[in-house]
Amino acid sequence: MLLETLGSVLLGLALSWAASHHLADRLPSRRAVFTTGTVGALFGAYVTHVALGPGHVLATLLGAVAIGAVLLSLLIRPSPRRLRRAYPF
């Protein structure tokens, strides 16, 4: 359980870093991104571990990455360079 927790925190930090690196103009502050990614991965690991039980380390880490990515995607704002149409329809 300790390795799952440490692994999920590291994966959450890696996801947060990748998101803040590639989508810096569409995300809020780096502090919010790193907090959301880490807490999301921890929550994902917890939910997956409770659902599957012990002994499924790889699946637990996969669940941590999935839920962490979903929570990070909720932080993305629309692009500031939106195309403007001449007609509203």
Side-chain angles (χ1 to χ4, degrees):
M1 181 71 188
L2 184 61
L3 291 177
E4 291 175 357
T5 304
L6 182 61
S8 66
V9 167
L10 291 176
L11 287 172
L13 288 172
L15 273 175
S16 300
W17 178 83
S20 66
H21 181 71
H22 293 291
L23 300 169
D25 58 334
R26 297 181 62 191
L27 289 170
S29 69
R30 291 176 59 97
R31 184 181 209 173
V33 172
F34 279 94
T35 302
T36 302
T38 306
V39 171
L42 276 172
F43 180 69
Y46 173 72
V47 168
T48 310
H49 181 78
V50 167
L52 297 177
H56 300 281
V57 176
L58 186 60
T60 301
L61 293 177
L62 191 63
V65 168
I67 293 180
V70 167
L71 288 178
L72 282 173
S73 73
L74 294 175
L75 294 177
I76 297 176
R77 296 181 291 214
S79 176
R81 301 174 303 217
R82 296 181 69 172
L83 296 176
R84 306 262 187 222
R85 294 185 183 200
Y87 302 105
F89 49 92

